[in-house]
Amino acid sequence: MADNLAISDVARVFGLRTSAIRYYEQIGILPPPVRKNGQRRYEQSALFRLAVVQRAQESGFTLDEIRELFFGFRAATRPPKRWHELSERKIAELQLRMKRLKLMQTLLKQMQDCRCNALEDCGKKLLSKSSKERNHAHLR
Amino acid sequence: MADNLAISDVARVFGLRTSAIRYYEQIGILPPPVRKNGQRRYEQSALFRLAVVQRAQESGFTLDEIRELFFGFRAATRPPKRWHELSERKIAELQLRMKRLKLMQTLLKQMQDCRCNALEDCGKKLLSKSSKERNHAHLR
DNA sequence: CTTTGACTTAAAGTCGACTTGAACTTGTAG
DNA sequence: CTACAAGTTCAAGTCGACTTTAAGTCAAAG
């Protein structure tokens, strides 16, 4: 629970390499920490930040998106409109993603029960559905 | 619904570039199609395959995984044990992913309701949780 | 005092998933 | 016959997210 963590400590907590943490600093995901004899010393707030970053990545956000969504409003001291729009879009995107994961799970399970043309069938279904969706959603 | 599709037709259906489709063939995701004057002509089965590929990608599978999971058993004519294990793992992984998406959505919503230290709070929560999970799950 | 191990920087390398570019062929339209 | 659009191959380039390498600094241990 101590502050004054060396970069390797922080790395260990998150299962990252030290190079990753320096990289995050370089691209503005982590603020430059205090130095002691030229070496970085982190406090807890950095850990909290990294925890959010890691989860967001697991949720499919890019580092650029993460900076904007979570730490972006630092710079401009609240441009709340743009941020609200952005996060609204992201929330919807997450919803869509979850729907797709569910579908994928279903497909895998069907294939396990080895009705062995499941793949073709599923391709057919997906294909007929996707035409409707395509207008609505722009993911990736 | 016609067969005999040119590569550009297939590309248009899926919003891909023709180069992507050639690339999929090259890495064994799509089988080499019939040629007509040296040009690729696709039938419906290719569309079904691509539909599955695209969904799987959206679900976070790599192309290597997709080949293994969905088209891999072609080569060995059913090694069902290994496949079953693999897909079992993947199904669990999808479950975990969905849980995380839900969490992320919650975090975003909390930040919208602008209890403005939500980020720090959430970092704290994530951090205390993740120690338990870390042993259990190896994602990415 | 030297060795060890952890740290520093800047620049170059890697990996997956494509894209782009250069050089060439082919069928159709004017 | 020529022009054009769409296809072909192969090699090289790109992008995000890091990692690796080379060369150097620094403090504690032997």
Side-chain angles (χ1 to χ4, degrees), chain A residues 10 32 34 40-41 53 59 81-82 84 87 91-92 108 124:
Chain A
V10 177
V34 189
R40 295 168 177 81
R41 296 298 136 139
V53 169
S59 304
K81 173 146 183 123
R82 188 168 137 46
H84 200 277
S87 60
I91 286 172
L108 273 175
K124 254 179 247 194

Side-chain angles (χ1 to χ4, degrees), chain B residues 17 19-20 23-24 37 39 57 61-64:
Chain B
R17 310 251 182 121
S19 61
Y23 174 69
Y24 290 157
N37 306 318
Q39 298 189 2
Q57 276 190 301
F61 293 92
T62 67
L63 291 177
D64 283 2

Side-chain angles (χ1 to χ4, degrees), chain A residues 1 61 81 88 127:
Chain A
M1 297 290 162
F61 292 93
K81 173 146 183 123
E88 203 57 66
L127 208 49

Side-chain angles (χ1 to χ4, degrees), chain B residues 62-130:
Chain B
T62 67
L63 291 177
D64 283 2
E65 285 173 336
I66 292 171
R67 192 180 29 228
E68 271 201 294
L69 268 173
F70 298 109
F71 316 119
F73 48 91
R74 270 243 195 295
T77 320
R78 287 245 230 163
K81 171 145 184 126
R82 189 169 135 44
W83 186 85
H84 201 276
E85 282 167 13
L86 193 61
S87 59
E88 204 56 66
R89 274 205 304 109
K90 280 297 156 187
I91 286 172
E93 194 181 301
L94 288 174
Q95 198 65 49
L96 183 52
R97 250 196 248 282
M98 286 185 350
K99 235 177 64 192
R100 290 180 174 178
L101 290 186
K102 197 92 208 72
L103 248 161
M104 208 58 221
Q105 237 188 1
T106 306
L107 172 53
L108 273 175
K109 279 177 184 163
Q110 275 177 22
M111 290 188 67
Q112 283 198 336
D113 301 348
C114 224
R115 342 204 298 56
C116 260
N117 51 354
L119 212 167
E120 283 249 322
D121 287 357
C122 219
K124 256 179 249 196
K125 277 187 222 168
L126 289 175
L127 206 50
S128 54
K129 262 203 225 180
S130 59

